[in-house]
Amino acid sequence: MAMVDAEAIVKELRETYASGKTKNYEWRVSQLKALLKIAEHHEKEIVDALNSDLSKPELECFVHEISMMKTSCKHALKQLKRWMKPEKVKTSLTTFPSSAEIVPEPFGVVLVISAWNYPFLLSLDPVIGAIAAGNAVVLKPSEIAPATSSVLAKLLGEYMDVTAIRVVEGAVPETTALLEQKWDKIFYTGNGKVGRIVMAAAAKHLTPVVLELGGKSPVIVDSNINLKVAVRRIIAGKWGCNNGQACISPDYIITTKENAPKLLDAMKLELEKFYGKDPLKSGDLSRIVNANHFHRLSKLLDDNKVVDKVVHGGQRDENNLKIAPTILLDVPEDSLIMKEEIFGPLLPILTVNKVEESIQFINAREKPLAAYLFTGDKKLEEEFVRNISAGGLLINDTTLHIATSTLPFGGVGESGMGSYHGRFSFEAFSHKKAVLRRSFGGDVPARYPPYTPEKVRFLKALLNGDILGLIRALLGW
């Protein structure tokens, strides 16, 4: 894709946006319904693409990608009228008599750059928000999931209004060409390194950004809990989410030294139940997305600081890009695996003397996208919620907060900025425009020169809310 293409696409979308078409309620509904049709009529095609890109199990394809996208679409359709309605707000004595409202308006022409790990959901979920808010959109799917990228380009080309909604496929040169254009908002899902590139490009045009990044999401495991349920939920959030290739996947566990052996035994037992004695043969685990990521994860495992810390798993099959669920115990804090987001099937367990120490440990690092706590202790739970800064917190489970449309989903600090899901998606792509209305009555002479001492006294009393002073000023006392 040559430079001029990006320019031409943006120009065409700007013309469509200028025509006012995308602001129309009926247009927004028609496009959201078209997205729903894509998910409903092409499920097999989407599952096949996800399978080709990631060997993602069909259940995960449906539950985590197709179904979540459909739920998000239906929610937007149901709530759209309410979201679009101007919000009446109170006015003050200063502007009396007057009325005021907040009018949501679309930003204009927006760019969505999505990720490879949930290539269907993470492409279309932000697009749902952008359309609901009335924008024209360019979607740039990830080239690392080429089959899904090509299905998205084909289906959106067939079902959507291509004068306002376009898919641009390609790799770094295409993304770079897109980032050189002026957008009204950019929504990026991915890693912090590229996040910085996106933000720097956006800064040239003062374009606002939403950055959905990742980070090392910790899991604190207390000892007074139903260990079996906790372990199953940790496994579901780690290996049951694309084999650990998920932004909110548990990245490491912290537990007490005395609790670690029990936790480890329970994990080994449940892992074998879920994935069998030879997990590399299991059809229920996604493969590693490509050779680069396979080597990156292998490097973390082969680091001489952790080579002897593997207590479960560790099997690899380079030809099929498979890595078994792997647990490491007591890895050093300065090992590679503790320095970067793992984004794969490796799970270190760190031990502390007292469970409370885990809060200081987490706070000494960059803010994660999610933080998890398993406990029966209300006091610890309150301390966790009060003291841990993360995109989102979840008590006694993992990853499920992402499926709650009334909660904003997004990061803080290194894990990103801005949030979406449900109403928050509509707000991410809307500008809140302030509107104040006055009539020609109620004109206060004290506003205008010459500024006499009487006028000063009157305005001081008015703005200080001094009723007695106001009466005296009005009576000329």
Side-chain angles (χ1 to χ4, degrees):
M1 172 179 159
M3 262 308 303
V4 289
D5 280 13
E7 210 172 314
I9 288 171
V10 175
K11 187 170 178 287
E12 186 191 344
L13 262 51
R14 287 224 175 271
E15 281 163 13
T16 304
Y17 181 73
S19 76
K21 168 157 93 167
T22 65
K23 291 185 179 178
N24 191 316
Y25 171 76
E26 285 69 27
W27 181 86
R28 304 183 199 195
V29 167
S30 73
Q31 297 308 297
L32 290 171
K33 284 185 170 161
L35 280 176
L36 209 46
K37 272 197 192 120
I38 289 175
E40 279 165 355
H41 297 177
H42 297 273
E43 191 181 305
K44 186 177 181 321
E45 222 174 314
I46 295 159
V47 169
D48 289 349
L50 292 168
N51 210 292
S52 157
D53 287 331
L54 292 146
S55 311
K56 196 174 278 204
E58 187 180 350
L59 182 133
E60 283 184 40
C61 293
F62 184 74
V63 174
H64 299 164
E65 302 224 36
I66 298 168
S67 168
M68 276 183 78
M69 178 269 190
K70 279 161 65 172
T71 304
S72 174
C73 226
K74 287 175 184 163
H75 183 70
L77 280 163
K78 197 171 151 196
Q79 301 293 336
L80 188 57
K81 267 213 162 81
R82 186 182 307 168
W83 294 345
M84 285 173 70
K85 232 207 201 89
E87 180 196 346
K88 294 261 182 276
V89 290
K90 286 193 170 85
T91 58
S92 70
L93 192 57
T94 316
T95 61
F96 179 85
S98 64
S99 68
E101 59 183 6
I102 299 165
V103 178
E105 64 173 5
F107 278 109
V109 180
V110 302
L111 172 63
V112 173
I113 305 174
S114 76
W116 55 262
N117 57 335
Y118 287 84
F120 182 74
L121 177 73
L122 296 181
S123 294
L124 295 185
D125 211 2
V127 170
I128 290 168
I131 292 170
N135 298 276
V137 198
V138 170
L139 166 64
K140 166 62 184 69
S142 171
E143 70 282 7
I144 296 175
T148 309
S149 173
S150 130
V151 162
L152 285 166
K154 177 174 102 64
L155 294 177
L156 268 67
E158 285 170 21
Y159 281 79
M160 310 300 287
D161 173 357
V162 293
T163 66
I165 299 161
R166 295 287 282 277
V167 177
V168 172
E169 288 197 275
V172 174
E174 287 73 18
T175 308
T176 307
L178 287 168
L179 284 173
E180 278 165 8
Q181 308 308 310
K182 180 177 174 19
W183 302 93
D184 299 303
K185 184 129 195 189
I186 299 174
F187 189 109
Y188 167 75
T189 306
N191 61 55
K193 192 168 127 253
V194 180
R196 286 172 166 78
I197 294 168
V198 170
M199 204 169 171
K204 292 192 178 80
H205 301 286
L206 290 181
T207 300
V209 293
V210 172
L211 300 178
E212 291 290 338
L213 312 175
K216 295 186 76 62
S217 298
V219 186
I220 301 174
V221 181
D222 201 358
S223 46
N224 55 359
I225 55 167
N226 181 330
L227 197 56
K228 181 178 175 172
V229 173
V231 160
R232 292 171 83 102
R233 289 175 179 179
I234 291 168
I235 294 171
K238 178 71 172 182
W239 296 285
C241 285
N242 206 23
N243 206 4
Q245 300 169 105
C247 54
I248 48 169
S249 152
D251 191 278
Y252 63 96
I253 291 177
I254 309 180
T255 194
T256 58
K257 286 187 173 46
E258 60 173 334
N259 194 43
K262 279 181 289 196
L263 174 65
L264 189 57
D265 288 345
M267 288 192 82
K268 288 176 177 174
L269 190 71
E270 296 301 323
L271 276 170
E272 194 174 306
K273 273 190 214 164
F274 290 175
Y275 303 114
K277 285 214 186 308
D278 183 359
L280 292 181
K281 292 206 166 59
S282 167
D284 297 324
L285 281 168
S286 299
R287 65 169 163 76
I288 306 308
V289 67
N290 60 22
N292 284 351
H293 280 275
F294 186 92
H295 294 139
R296 176 183 67 78
L297 288 160
S298 296
K299 202 171 117 193
L300 298 184
L301 269 183
D302 296 337
D303 172 8
N304 53 19
K305 289 181 176 160
V306 304
V307 133
D308 56 346
K309 306 289 187 190
V310 173
V311 287
H312 182 78
Q315 305 92 315
R316 289 175 248 180
D317 171 357
E318 190 165 355
N319 290 333
N320 294 309
L321 298 180
K322 293 260 183 166
I323 298 180
T326 301
I327 303 174
L328 305 97
L329 183 61
D330 280 324
V331 299
E333 282 181 45
D334 62 349
S335 56
L336 285 176
I337 204 164
M338 286 309 293
K339 283 192 174 142
E340 58 174 83
E341 184 181 2
I342 295 167
F343 221 75
L346 324 175
L347 185 62
I349 299 177
L350 309 176
T351 56
V352 288
N353 293 317
K354 293 208 301 289
V355 74
E356 288 74 15
E357 293 168 23
S358 48
I359 292 181
Q360 287 85 344
F361 183 90
I362 295 165
N363 283 340
R365 282 155 184 75
E366 296 291 358
K367 296 176 181 184
L369 183 56
Y372 305 113
L373 167 68
F374 287 85
T375 187
D377 178 353
K378 279 283 172 258
K379 196 166 152 294
L380 181 66
E381 189 180 310
E382 276 166 28
E383 200 181 326
F384 176 78
V385 171
R386 194 172 54 242
N387 293 319
I388 295 284
S389 177
L393 306 179
L394 184 46
I395 317 287
N396 295 335
D397 210 326
T398 64
T399 68
L400 282 186
H401 60 299
I402 193 172
T404 311
S405 67
T406 47
L407 287 173
F409 177 73
V412 56
E414 282 283 319
S415 56
M417 60 183 72
S419 61
Y420 72 126
H421 286 187
R423 173 156 203 155
F424 303 98
S425 290
F426 177 84
E427 290 181 352
F429 289 100
S430 299
H431 163 61
K432 291 184 166 180
K433 183 163 62 181
V435 181
L436 183 69
R437 294 189 167 91
R438 299 200 70 212
S439 71
F440 286 100
D443 206 37
V444 181
R447 264 178 86 177
Y448 310 116
Y451 301 133
T452 61
E454 292 76 29
K455 287 181 180 176
V456 172
R457 265 180 41 222
F458 169 77
L459 282 176
K460 269 191 175 167
L462 177 73
L463 297 173
N464 285 332
D466 172 6
I467 304 293
L468 203 62
L470 198 55
I471 295 167
R472 292 164 74 166
L474 285 169
L475 294 175
W477 292 356

